[in-house]
Amino acid sequence: MPDIMSGWQAWLAVSRDEFLWRELFYNYYRIPRSVPRHPAAASWYREFKRLFDCIPCVEVQTLKEHHDQVLHLAFSHRGHRFSSCSKDCTVKLWDTERPDGSIALVHSSSMRQFNWGYTQFSQFNADDSLLLVSGVYLGPHHSSSGEIAVISLENYTLLSRVRNKPYDVFGCWLNETHLISGNLHWIGDMTSCSVLWLNKAFQDVESENVNVVKRLFKIQNINASTIRTVMVAHCRRHDSPDLLLDYEAQLQAREQQERSGQRRQPLFFDLGGSEEEEEEEEECEEEGERSHPSHRPHLQGPGLSERLGHMIQGRRSLAAGDREIEARAAQIMGKTRTRPPDPASASGEGEDKTYLLFTTGSLTYSPHQIGIKRIMPDQMTTCGPVLGKERSSEEFFDSLDHVIDIHGHIIGMGLSPDHRYLYVNSRAWPAGCVISDPMSPPPIAEEIDLHVIDLKSLREERRSLRAHRAFTPNDECFFIFLDVSRDFVASGAEDKHGYIWDRHYNICLARLQHDDVVNSVAFSPADQELLLSASDDSTIKVWRSPRMVRMAQAPPRPPRSRSLLYSLLGRRSANSANLNGKP
């Protein structure tokens, strides 16, 4: 008996040996040895188990209530609801808190009565009381107009509608009560002006002297480019990051905590797990073509061929000299009529900052740059006289605070939950290419690069993530929405799969299969082991981690009474004493 016990204890020690698990971890996941262990990991064994067991890669449900391509998914901040947009021109709301763990449809609104072609994007406001829904407005064949609707989540009534042009501005919430939309004015054949507006969500007639809309920024566009994909980053969240991607910064943070006597505490967050799972583990230990789409239907997202078709055809007939003259004239006009950057926007290193992020360009109509503009506190409300400065015709353009060139066609953006990092899907241009004609952008790669931008340092962090692919050409590119959780980042792709990467180790962990292009993915903010994916196959798939599936399938165990527990402990100590020869 003693030999059996000692042998079992020896095997248990070997099974948890840190050196062995460290070697297995690096070899199995093919991670460079220069990459340190996750700063919050308690052991190599636990870290291997997290990546192996906590990835939402098991399909548990397929939702088929949509009747056309599903384009976008968005979770509420609490994670109790999510919304979906589709080419069937509906926005649907779903419940994720049913007792049996399944997901069910709770509401559906059709926007066809408002002359919409389809819904393309949605977003919950900060307190989950309102839903912003963005769609494409049916107009002339080459129209680029869209509209934003605000729906009350208390009684599902429509509160307001706001014109949004071009439609791939999408729109976003600035705060609980105000949203941002866009408008576009052409100045020349390839020169335009984008105006970004702040709108009050509830635009009932309150008073003739109160604004419900105010102009935020007026920005010049050259070479047929426009502003698209607006989103807001609240940089006050940087002070408590979910995860630092800079390995040296992680090491410094660890050393600082050790010096302050907090060595045993996780650096940023708890990686998860439960007491029930720990008990199950102990009991178990005791027991011993890539495929190429043959046809792409109507475009989504930017829809460049649909929106720019008339412009491309009409302006290709222009002589190259005419384009150069207009570009030079636009640059001169921009220099003389653009306000210098506001010194206040760059000041205050420690103060809270709110940034407006969007895609733009300067060389061609393909969105290849990320524009960053700080929103000042006095700009965050529509208060002011109706006929005041906000409504007057303003001669000057606003300058951008920062521009990051991606050197490729941007097809998706997403913020980390702490708003520290911006993840960008792009299809790269050939190295060293020179753009001579803004209406003929360079060919784009089939591989999608997932860039990571640190919004604190405003520089690209690490190497790009890569695994997913897209095949449509420049003028048919559409948006592929990505999402970021505390530990993971996920994205759709045109190769009929969704993909999941680990943010710390920079590795691809899972492929999620659909029958057609995957347009959008979304992590639950309440549980990153729950992921949704939306596809052109008209379905929404629900994915959970192997750990969550196992826990859901396990029969409930009766609680152990305290007296029984004490008796078992007493029996175990008595047996131990007998084995050691004690009376």
Side-chain angles (χ1 to χ4, degrees):
M1 186 68 176
D3 292 338
I4 295 175
M5 290 293 293
S6 60
W8 176 84
Q9 290 173 350
W11 277 112
L12 179 61
V14 169
S15 71
R16 294 297 178 87
D17 184 86
E18 278 291 275
F19 176 78
L20 293 179
W21 279 106
R22 180 179 183 274
E23 293 302 303
L24 179 62
F25 186 88
Y26 280 114
N27 290 332
Y28 184 86
Y29 291 110
R30 299 179 181 179
I31 299 173
R33 300 293 175 129
S34 58
V35 177
R37 193 174 73 191
H38 194 292
S43 68
W44 286 106
Y45 164 74
R46 293 290 176 205
E47 192 64 348
F48 187 96
K49 188 174 186 300
R50 177 179 75 88
L51 294 190
F52 194 84
D53 210 27
C54 299
I55 308 302
C57 58
V58 180
E59 181 184 341
V60 297
Q61 193 175 357
T62 300
L63 308 174
K64 300 180 179 180
E65 280 79 355
H66 280 292
H67 305 296
D68 206 335
Q69 303 166 8
V70 188
L71 305 183
H72 184 249
L73 301 166
F75 265 102
S76 65
H77 293 82
R78 280 177 46 205
H80 68 305
R81 296 277 190 276
F82 73 87
S83 57
S84 57
C85 295
S86 169
K87 280 288 187 75
D88 65 15
C89 205
T90 66
V91 56
K92 298 184 187 297
L93 286 161
W94 309 79
D95 179 16
T96 66
E97 294 186 339
R98 289 167 59 88
D100 62 356
S102 65
I103 289 174
L105 180 67
V106 294
H107 179 76
S108 179
S109 293
S110 174
M111 304 302 292
R112 290 209 186 277
Q113 60 180 312
F114 304 111
N115 207 31
W116 284 27
Y118 54 87
T119 59
Q120 61 173 353
F121 175 83
S122 60
Q123 186 181 55
F124 291 80
N125 70 340
D127 61 7
D128 293 334
S129 62
L130 302 174
L131 182 69
L132 176 156
V133 183
S134 175
V136 177
Y137 194 77
L138 285 177
H141 178 62
H142 295 298
S143 171
S144 63
S145 291
E147 211 171 49
I148 296 172
V150 178
I151 297 175
S152 168
L153 295 178
E154 181 179 356
N155 51 18
Y156 305 118
T157 56
L158 181 66
L159 300 181
S160 61
R161 291 161 55 203
V162 176
R163 186 57 61 92
N164 190 42
K165 183 178 180 179
Y167 55 76
D168 48 6
V169 169
F170 292 118
C172 65
W173 289 105
L174 176 61
N175 50 41
E176 288 88 346
T177 55
H178 292 80
L179 60 99
I180 296 173
S181 65
N183 202 356
L184 182 67
H185 307 283
W186 285 100
I187 301 172
D189 283 325
M190 292 187 297
T191 307
S192 64
C193 165
S194 288
V195 181
L196 298 172
W197 295 91
L198 182 64
N199 308 268
K200 195 169 183 181
F202 185 72
Q203 298 186 19
D204 196 7
V205 179
E206 302 175 40
S207 168
E208 293 182 358
N209 298 316
V210 176
N211 271 334
V212 293
V213 62
K214 180 175 73 174
R215 192 178 70 199
L216 271 179
F217 305 117
K218 180 180 179 181
I219 298 169
Q220 184 195 44
N221 307 307
I222 61 173
N223 289 327
S225 65
T226 62
I227 284 178
R228 311 166 184 165
T229 322
V230 296
M231 57 178 57
V232 171
H234 299 286
C235 299
R236 62 180 177 273
R237 302 188 191 181
H238 293 178
D239 297 334
S240 302
D242 291 332
L243 177 68
L244 289 176
L245 298 185
D246 186 335
Y247 296 138
E248 292 183 4
Q250 289 180 12
L251 179 62
Q252 293 173 3
R254 184 186 293 274
E255 293 174 348
Q256 183 177 359
Q257 283 203 339
E258 290 178 353
R259 286 196 299 268
S260 62
Q262 300 176 351
R263 182 171 183 173
R264 299 298 299 175
Q265 297 181 4
L267 287 180
F268 303 116
F269 48 76
D270 184 10
L271 288 174
S274 66
E275 294 182 4
E276 186 175 342
E277 279 286 290
E278 299 294 328
E279 291 178 10
E280 287 181 2
E281 285 178 8
E282 291 174 3
E283 290 179 2
C284 290
E285 288 163 357
E286 290 171 4
E287 293 174 1
E289 224 151 339
R290 149 186 164 192
S291 40
H292 194 300
S294 59
H295 171 66
R296 179 69 192 162
H298 263 320
L299 302 177
Q300 306 149 17
L304 290 174
S305 66
E306 190 173 290
R307 197 181 79 206
L308 294 174
H310 68 298
M311 185 176 69
I312 294 172
Q313 295 300 325
R315 289 165 195 170
R316 275 178 178 159
S317 60
L318 292 175
D322 293 339
R323 294 197 192 104
E324 292 176 6
I325 291 172
E326 179 176 331
R328 290 176 184 174
Q331 290 171 353
I332 294 172
M333 180 175 65
K335 288 180 180 179
T336 58
R337 295 175 58 182
T338 300
R339 292 189 188 91
D342 187 351
S345 65
S347 64
E349 186 67 27
E351 67 182 69
D352 294 345
K353 293 182 180 179
T354 300
Y355 286 124
L356 183 67
L357 313 175
F358 46 83
T359 64
T360 183
S362 61
L363 303 176
T364 176
Y365 66 80
S366 296
H368 58 94
Q369 295 175 328
I370 299 166
I372 302 177
K373 181 67 178 174
R374 185 178 178 188
I375 305 175
M376 304 304 291
D378 63 336
Q379 295 175 305
M380 297 187 186
T381 176
T382 55
C383 292
V386 172
L387 299 179
K389 176 182 177 182
E390 294 81 2
R391 294 289 184 89
S392 63
S393 60
E394 181 60 66
E395 295 182 356
F396 290 93
F397 300 114
D398 293 292
S399 59
L400 301 184
D401 295 327
H402 200 78
V403 176
I404 300 173
D405 201 312
I406 299 297
H407 196 74
H409 193 131
I410 299 173
I411 59 171
M413 296 201 303
L415 281 168
S416 61
D418 57 10
H419 286 201
R420 173 68 183 264
Y421 297 99
L422 177 69
Y423 286 75
V424 181
N425 267 336
S426 82
R427 297 173 61 184
W429 291 338
C433 68
V434 177
I435 300 175
S436 57
D437 182 357
M439 302 314 298
S440 298
I444 51 179
E446 289 186 352
E447 293 80 12
I448 302 175
D449 293 324
L450 187 51
H451 304 266
V452 188
I453 308 297
D454 187 342
L455 293 179
K456 188 170 186 178
S457 63
L458 297 177
R459 69 168 187 262
E460 186 163 357
E461 194 71 56
R462 298 189 185 175
R463 60 179 173 83
S464 300
L465 300 169
R466 179 179 284 185
H468 48 329
R469 303 172 71 87
F471 308 104
T472 47
N474 246 316
D475 60 349
E476 296 181 7
C477 256
F478 59 94
F479 223 69
I480 293 179
F481 293 95
L482 58 96
D483 197 28
V484 190
S485 73
R486 185 189 65 190
D487 290 334
F488 310 125
V489 55
S491 173
E494 287 186 50
D495 60 10
K496 304 181 183 180
H497 288 86
Y499 291 83
I500 304 175
W501 295 263
D502 183 81
R503 293 177 59 198
H504 173 75
Y505 297 107
N506 238 40
I507 55 173
C508 186
L509 296 170
R511 298 170 77 228
L512 314 175
Q513 187 168 3
H514 272 269
D515 294 331
D516 210 328
V517 173
V518 177
N519 298 306
S520 179
V521 292
F523 287 101
S524 167
D527 179 9
Q528 65 175 356
E529 295 180 46
L530 168 60
L531 177 72
L532 308 171
S533 59
S535 170
D536 277 3
D537 62 18
S538 304
T539 68
I540 299 169
K541 289 192 176 184
V542 183
W543 309 84
R544 293 189 183 272
S545 67
R547 183 179 78 95
M548 294 300 295
V549 172
R550 188 171 63 251
M551 291 177 64
Q553 294 174 346
R557 292 184 298 175
R560 297 176 180 176
S561 66
R562 189 173 295 272
S563 59
L564 177 62
L565 182 62
Y566 283 139
S567 66
L568 290 173
L569 290 174
R571 189 182 305 169
R572 182 172 292 183
S573 61
N575 291 337
S576 177
N578 292 333
L579 289 172
N580 292 328
K582 294 182 180 179

